[in-house]
Amino acid sequence: MADIRITGRMVNFTRLTFDTHDHDAIRQQLSQMLKEASYQGALVIIDTTVEQELIALIQLLISLDLQPMAVIDGLLGDQARAIQFPVIAADRPLQRIKATREQVTEAPVVAVDSNLDTAQPDQKNMAFKPHANSHLTSYHDEILRTGQCLVQDHGDIIVNAGINSGSEVIASGNIHVYGSVRGRVIAGASGNSTARIFCHSLEAELVSIAGTYCVADDIPEHMIKKAVHIYLNDQQELEFQALQF
């Protein structure tokens, strides 16, 4: 009898992409993100757009109770190979496109002339200033084609047509697709577990909310090509709910 057995298992990884090598900034931002989402002990794959000291970055992630598993080949590839750390081939780049339009929803800050403190509200000089936590909604009116990627880092995405296979929609908030979903749909990308996905016809290659994902083969058969609402339940599992029109 053989002493080695090979079995398969689907394992969730979280990809971290760094646009800075300032480890103080990385620690501060990651600590905040980890408070807002259940990433404790998460397996992570490291990517970067700037030069990094890999060993120091790995140590930083471990100190935040993350488990670095590999790096994406690129700027960190040579450092990883030098210490025999796993290297994963880089993705085929997608073309990041702009949405047809964006809408900003922001909390107004009321500026009042100090000389009018006793005036009636309608007499005061009120000015509206953008709030730091403005929420954006991206609207896209065309079909998202193979090789294209639509991203909204600070809000929701509404696609008024379908998305083809080999395309990707990523939002920190909710995603609505008023057409067929054949590509990858990733909501709650910043760790927002309350984010939701709505679509008119579910045929996706992958759906994900806050790092919990489901590939095409695991989507419930009775939900395929149906109008579906997808969300995370109390156990942080993806729930698929048919929509009635």
Side-chain angles (χ1 to χ4, degrees):
M1 183 176 179
D3 295 323
I4 299 174
R5 289 177 293 155
I6 298 176
T7 58
R9 181 187 174 194
M10 183 69 72
V11 179
N12 287 349
F13 291 91
T14 298
R15 179 169 177 166
L16 293 178
T17 302
F18 298 97
D19 297 321
T20 178
H21 53 64
D22 182 341
H23 284 194
D24 289 335
I26 290 173
R27 179 180 292 278
Q28 181 180 4
Q29 293 179 41
L30 267 180
S31 296
Q32 184 61 38
M33 292 171 65
L34 294 171
K35 285 180 183 177
E36 297 172 357
S38 55
Y39 283 127
Q40 185 176 15
L43 306 177
V44 297
I45 296 173
I46 302 169
D47 195 9
T48 185
T49 60
V50 296
E51 294 285 350
Q52 299 273 357
E53 184 182 344
L54 178 57
I55 292 177
L57 183 58
I58 290 172
Q59 291 172 339
L60 171 58
L61 297 177
I62 290 173
S63 73
L64 293 171
D65 199 21
L66 297 172
Q67 300 182 53
M69 301 298 294
V71 302
I72 301 295
D73 202 2
L75 292 176
L76 295 176
D78 289 343
Q79 290 186 62
R81 292 184 186 95
I83 62 172
Q84 297 185 334
F85 192 70
V87 178
I88 295 175
D91 301 331
R92 185 179 67 180
L94 295 178
Q95 176 193 7
R96 183 163 173 169
I97 65 170
K98 290 185 178 180
T100 305
R101 62 191 183 281
E102 284 187 345
Q103 177 181 347
V104 182
T105 305
E106 55 197 13
V109 176
V110 181
V112 182
D113 190 331
S114 60
N115 295 322
L116 298 175
D117 284 344
T118 59
Q120 295 299 317
D122 60 354
Q123 295 175 299
K124 294 182 179 181
N125 175 26
M126 297 196 300
F128 294 91
K129 300 179 181 179
H131 192 275
N133 295 321
S134 295
H135 184 90
L136 300 176
T137 301
S138 293
Y139 297 87
H140 195 62
D141 296 333
E142 300 177 358
I143 290 176
L144 201 66
R145 304 195 181 281
T146 300
Q148 293 182 327
C149 180
L150 187 62
V151 180
Q152 175 51 264
D153 294 320
H154 304 288
D156 304 336
I157 291 179
I158 297 175
V159 181
N160 292 319
I163 68 170
N164 286 348
S165 60
S167 65
E168 194 168 73
V169 178
I170 304 173
S172 64
N174 307 308
I175 296 175
H176 302 251
V177 182
Y178 297 105
S180 297
V181 172
R182 298 188 177 94
R184 296 180 294 276
V185 184
I186 301 167
S190 62
N192 178 9
S193 60
T194 65
R196 295 175 181 242
I197 297 170
F198 302 85
C199 67
H200 272 203
S201 180
L202 180 62
E203 306 168 55
E205 297 168 343
L206 176 144
V207 295
S208 172
I209 297 177
T212 299
Y213 71 91
C214 181
V215 295
D217 290 344
D218 296 323
I219 294 174
E221 277 191 37
H222 64 286
M223 292 294 172
I224 301 297
K225 297 187 178 181
K226 298 292 195 304
V228 178
H229 165 209
I230 307 169
Y231 61 94
L232 289 177
N233 61 23
D234 292 340
Q235 289 73 45
Q236 299 299 293
E237 300 167 336
L238 288 174
E239 289 280 353
F240 296 78
Q241 182 180 75
L243 292 172
Q244 304 297 328
F245 294 101

